[in-house]
Amino acid sequence: MSSHQESKTDLKKITTRTIRSKKGKEKITSLTAYDYPTASWCDEAHLDLILVGDSLGNVIYGEKSTLPVTMDMMLAHTRAVSRGVKHALLIADMPFLSYQTSIPEAIHNAGRFLKEAGAEGVKLEGGAEMEDTILAITRAGIPVMAHIGLTPQSVHAMGGYRTQGKTPSERDVLMNSAKAVERAGAFCVVLECVEETLAKEITEALSIPTIGIGSGNSCDGQILVLHDLLGLTEGHAPKFVRPTGAFRGPIIESIKAYANRTREGV
Ligand code: KIV
């Protein structure tokens, strides 16, 4: 294939329909991005989906959890990301308390991401308990990416960050949740740290794609936090990340080289 043909095919805009149509045919590729440069790197690498994750609370703001993240923070970062995205589907994460309090508030806040920040859909955490909310948002014409399993906004209720779906009752709850978000109209669902055999069962049971993170290779696609993948974060990334870069060290060395050059006056 010539480079001209390649770029023509690759430049096709990814929509929620594209994502749905990949199920069972082609794996879906996605990463988080939080600003203009990281978004343009992901887009130029031809990822299918870019998520402005509320993980920016940890990765960008140095918080211990995603709980302090606000609508204002998410809107500002989504706007910046949208300027770097031409090809991928752009999804914004709804932060804690922006959709749990009432359905009208959830629709209003979801709509702000499309109206004010250039997102093409939203992601929210929760399964069966969020069925009515997902239904209402999708009925307002806003695509929803669901998120079940380890849901970091419920870290205190879950008693920490751990693999979900290890007991028969947890497995039933998760399978029911997966079916509920599909019924409610979600176009895909993130399975975070779901026990691998259950992730496979859910993937086989649903007609919408599953996007896994720490849930094994059977999902219809994968998502990771970009900074974990590139080795930009301090300390060890979770084992499932398998970083493809180790850029934190070289960046610090580059800064040191500049500082030394400056100190020496050369
Ligand atoms: O906030 C986030 O980055 C996420 C993904 C890791 C799924 O929810």
Side-chain angles (χ1 to χ4, degrees):
M1 185 186 276
S2 74
S3 61
H4 173 68
Q5 280 171 315
E6 192 176 74
S7 64
K8 250 181 126 180
T9 325
D10 290 341
L11 284 178
K12 214 168 159 214
K13 178 75 183 96
I14 304 281
T15 65
T16 55
R17 273 173 77 100
T18 326
I19 299 294
R20 291 183 81 128
S21 71
K22 284 183 182 254
K23 182 157 180 114
K25 296 191 186 109
E26 225 181 289
K27 294 277 188 181
I28 297 156
T29 56
S30 54
L31 283 172
T32 63
Y34 310 109
D35 53 22
Y36 175 77
T38 54
S40 63
W41 302 339
C42 290
D43 201 64
E44 277 185 41
H46 294 175
L47 290 186
D48 295 316
L49 188 153
I50 295 175
L51 171 72
V52 187
D54 67 348
S55 52
L56 63 77
N58 311 89
V59 176
I60 304 295
Y61 289 90
E63 299 282 3
K64 286 196 168 58
S65 75
T66 57
L67 299 179
V69 176
T70 65
M71 277 297 294
D72 284 348
M73 287 155 83
M74 289 305 301
L75 286 168
H77 284 273
T78 304
R79 249 191 317 268
V81 166
S82 73
R83 295 187 194 111
V85 178
K86 296 189 178 74
H87 165 257
L89 180 71
L90 174 56
I91 302 297
D93 222 352
M94 297 196 69
F96 181 54
L97 290 191
S98 69
Y99 58 97
Q100 294 94 338
T101 47
S102 74
I103 287 182
E105 195 172 16
I107 298 172
H108 176 74
N109 283 327
R112 290 188 69 194
F113 283 107
L114 276 66
K115 205 174 164 116
E116 301 173 34
E120 295 162 314
V122 295
K123 177 171 85 57
L124 58 87
E125 296 181 9
E129 74 284 11
M130 282 296 149
E131 185 172 348
D132 291 347
T133 306
I134 295 174
L135 186 64
I137 297 174
T138 54
R139 281 197 174 148
I142 303 163
V144 174
M145 180 181 199
H147 181 163
I148 63 170
L150 195 170
T151 45
Q153 290 175 18
S154 310
V155 57
H156 299 305
M158 290 185 311
Y161 300 101
R162 57 178 188 86
T163 301
Q164 305 291 303
K166 284 187 160 173
T167 65
S169 68
E170 267 184 24
R171 292 175 83 89
D172 285 349
V173 168
L174 280 171
M175 181 57 88
N176 286 338
S177 279
K179 289 182 177 165
V181 299
E182 170 171 63
R183 212 166 34 237
F187 73 94
C188 70
V189 55
V190 172
L191 304 183
E192 179 163 354
C193 294
V194 170
E195 192 280 325
E196 292 190 18
T197 61
L198 176 61
K200 184 170 188 288
E201 280 173 30
I202 292 175
T203 301
E204 286 166 1
L206 297 189
S207 64
I208 57 170
T210 58
I211 315 281
I213 171 163
S215 301
N217 289 332
S218 304
C219 296
D220 297 303
Q222 297 290 332
I223 187 162
L224 285 175
V225 167
L226 176 73
H227 291 57
D228 288 344
L229 179 73
L230 298 184
L232 287 168
T233 30
E234 209 180 325
H236 286 295
K239 223 166 77 194
F240 57 79
V241 172
R242 294 183 290 139
T244 53
F247 293 110
R248 190 169 190 274
I251 288 172
I252 295 170
E253 287 313 310
S254 296
I255 296 169
K256 280 185 183 164
Y258 158 75
N260 288 339
R261 192 176 71 190
T262 303
R263 282 184 202 109
E264 287 158 18
V266 290

